Amino acid sequence: MWARKRIDIGWLDLASGIVNCLLPSSRSKAAERVEPTWTGDAFACLSVRSGLDLLLKSLALPAGSEVLVSSITIPDMVRVVEHHGLVAVPIDLNAADMVPSVDALKAAVSENTKAILVAQLLGGRYDVEPFAEVAREHNLLLIEDCAQAFDGDCYHGHELADVSMFSFGPIKTATALAGGVLKIKDAEVLSKMRQLQSEYPLQSRVAFFKRILFYCVLRWLGGRIPFYLFVKSCQFLRKDFDEVLNGSIRNFPEDELFASLREQPCAPLLKLMARRINGYKNSRLDARTAGGDLLLEALPLSSCPGAAAKPNNYWVFPLKVSDPAAAVSTLHAAGFDSTADNSMQPVPAPPSRPETTPNTANELLQGAIYLPLYAEMPLSEVRRMAEILKRFID
């Protein structure tokens, strides 16, 4: 069975991470191997959420200030915003490319607005210049969330963004199993973030070593035969393998979110990040992109949220179907793992701003399933999956 997601890391990378955990190394020198990739204004941290937390601590915006955010994101991003006494106000998006609506953005700006946080979603990318124009007009900070949009050496953030954020967490492209890089335009803010992070406890080498071993198991499970055996074992034990998988890769415990975020990345993590970023082969992205393009040739664009964004490397490929449960069941029987579960959620409008309710976002991912798509899948298998899916599209 083709697993829905294969961890994008090789066995030699995992072995390198294990060796680095066992050998002494300098954290500062390891950071120097990561940050110059993004030029001199880059900042390496434990995760994108850690970076956003540090950024908001450094800015110290007045309580009650509003941050206009893309209306679909992971809930933890909103939690970080709200933890700093700020209000997340959703900006609805266009269904085809999942680009925030500039008109909705302009309408949502108020006297309390201090920042704009736009997300590049699902592996697609768009020009943030229209959002930069609004930010300049109203003297707002523009933050670009590229956690899902890393594409090797092709894009390191928009020049007009004040902050660009990239993630190398477990299910991301070129994963280092953790870690984030932020480009910070303001030197004073960058200096404050560095100082704040230097006061955090250091991530445990032992904990990172155990993390690597755990993801070695998940990497092995990503193979077709091991994953098939895993699914059958869960069925025999009457366990929902969806729940087992999703529970195993949750990055930060919900009740310990901020304690978990506030650590300095250890040297072995930074060295693995440097290895993954500097040595990533764009041929893997090319193969995944070819698979996504093939799906779009076979399936109607209107059923593929976000797929119209260009360029697009299809980090995740959602598909709206008439009967999600039946589609998932049929795909499983044909050897394709898929799921209707999704970690991204619409951002609710705050009670004080009901006019910002993101109606498109609320409907966009309803009835969507998420398909397996990665470099190891032959195009013949992608084509076979598309043929199966046609019967579930209105």
Side-chain angles (χ1 to χ4, degrees):
M1 177 178 284
W2 293 105
R4 78 192 64 160
K5 195 76 177 172
R6 184 172 291 190
I7 298 174
D8 188 24
I9 191 169
W11 290 111
L12 288 178
D13 298 314
L14 292 166
S16 172
I18 290 172
V19 170
N20 287 332
C21 286
L22 300 175
L23 298 177
S25 53
S26 163
R27 185 191 173 282
S28 59
K29 289 183 179 179
E32 289 172 2
R33 293 175 57 188
V34 177
E35 295 171 354
T37 303
W38 266 264
T39 70
D41 54 359
F43 172 74
C45 53
L46 192 65
S47 71
V48 159
R49 283 165 283 184
S50 301
L52 179 62
D53 179 50
L54 281 164
L55 174 66
L56 296 178
K57 284 179 74 173
S58 300
L59 294 172
L61 299 173
S65 296
E66 295 176 349
V67 180
L68 307 184
V69 302
S70 294
S71 57
I72 290 181
T73 188
I74 61 169
D76 280 353
M77 296 295 279
V78 175
R79 286 185 64 194
V80 170
V81 170
E82 293 176 342
H83 182 80
H84 290 272
L86 310 176
V87 180
V89 178
I91 305 303
D92 213 355
L93 40 72
N94 303 306
D97 54 14
M98 297 186 81
V99 177
S101 164
V102 176
D103 290 338
L105 175 69
K106 291 177 178 178
V109 174
S110 75
E111 61 182 10
N112 293 322
T113 304
K114 301 298 182 185
I116 301 170
L117 171 56
V118 292
Q120 310 271 17
L121 296 172
L122 308 181
R125 207 170 72 232
Y126 53 85
D127 185 4
V128 304
E129 186 167 356
F131 308 100
E133 291 177 2
V134 176
R136 281 197 301 266
E137 181 181 350
H138 298 278
N139 194 29
L140 307 175
L141 186 78
L142 178 61
I143 307 168
E144 180 188 22
D145 181 358
C146 305
Q148 301 177 13
F150 180 73
D151 62 356
D153 57 5
C154 298
Y155 187 73
H156 289 165
H158 198 284
E159 62 182 1
L160 295 178
D162 296 295
V163 179
S164 296
M165 309 188 294
F166 291 84
S167 173
F168 300 93
I171 61 173
K172 297 300 194 300
T173 300
T175 179
L177 309 181
V181 174
L182 275 67
K183 276 188 65 176
I184 312 292
K185 187 175 290 186
D186 187 310
E188 184 177 349
V189 172
L190 176 58
S191 177
K192 287 181 181 178
M193 292 175 67
R194 289 192 190 280
Q195 176 59 38
L196 285 169
Q197 181 171 257
S198 71
E199 299 168 3
Y200 286 173
L202 188 62
Q203 177 192 26
S204 164
R205 280 175 176 257
V206 172
F208 188 58
F209 178 78
K210 291 178 179 177
R211 186 179 184 87
I212 296 173
L213 295 181
F214 173 75
Y215 280 101
C216 283
V217 175
L218 288 189
R219 174 68 175 81
W220 176 76
L221 278 178
R224 293 184 72 184
I225 294 175
F227 189 76
Y228 172 80
L229 295 174
F230 166 73
V231 171
K232 290 300 180 183
S233 298
C234 288
Q235 291 172 346
F236 177 77
L237 296 172
R238 297 184 178 180
K239 291 183 178 291
D240 185 325
F241 74 90
D242 251 1
E243 292 182 2
V244 174
L245 274 180
N246 292 337
S248 68
I249 60 175
R250 185 168 289 125
N251 211 12
F252 295 111
E254 208 167 297
D255 57 345
E256 303 172 9
L257 176 63
F258 290 95
S260 301
L261 292 178
R262 292 172 177 172
E263 291 184 343
Q264 299 181 63
C266 63
L269 168 56
L270 292 169
K271 292 178 79 169
L272 184 56
M273 287 172 65
R275 176 185 173 93
R276 301 295 291 129
I277 294 166
N278 297 320
Y280 192 72
K281 296 179 180 178
N282 280 20
S283 58
R284 293 186 56 77
L285 285 175
D286 295 340
R288 190 172 73 197
T289 300
D293 289 342
L294 192 155
L295 283 174
L296 286 184
E297 291 175 9
L299 304 171
L301 182 62
S302 59
S303 297
C304 307
K310 299 297 178 186
N312 200 325
N313 62 52
Y314 309 106
W315 173 70
V316 170
F317 200 106
L319 181 71
K320 298 194 72 159
V321 295
S322 55
D323 188 338
V328 167
S329 178
T330 302
L331 285 171
H332 283 177
F336 298 101
D337 178 34
S338 64
T339 183
D341 290 341
N342 175 32
S343 61
M344 295 185 296
Q345 301 293 330
V347 178
S352 59
R353 302 292 305 275
E355 76 281 4
T356 63
T357 298
N359 296 316
T360 299
N362 287 338
E363 298 174 2
L364 186 58
L365 298 181
Q366 291 181 10
I369 62 174
Y370 298 84
L371 307 178
L373 184 65
Y374 36 84
E376 290 79 3
M377 284 186 70
L379 293 182
S380 59
E381 287 291 270
V382 176
R383 191 174 292 110
R384 183 168 71 91
M385 180 172 64
E387 289 301 314
I388 294 168
L389 289 164
K390 287 179 180 178
R391 73 187 79 164
F392 296 101
I393 296 175
D394 295 328

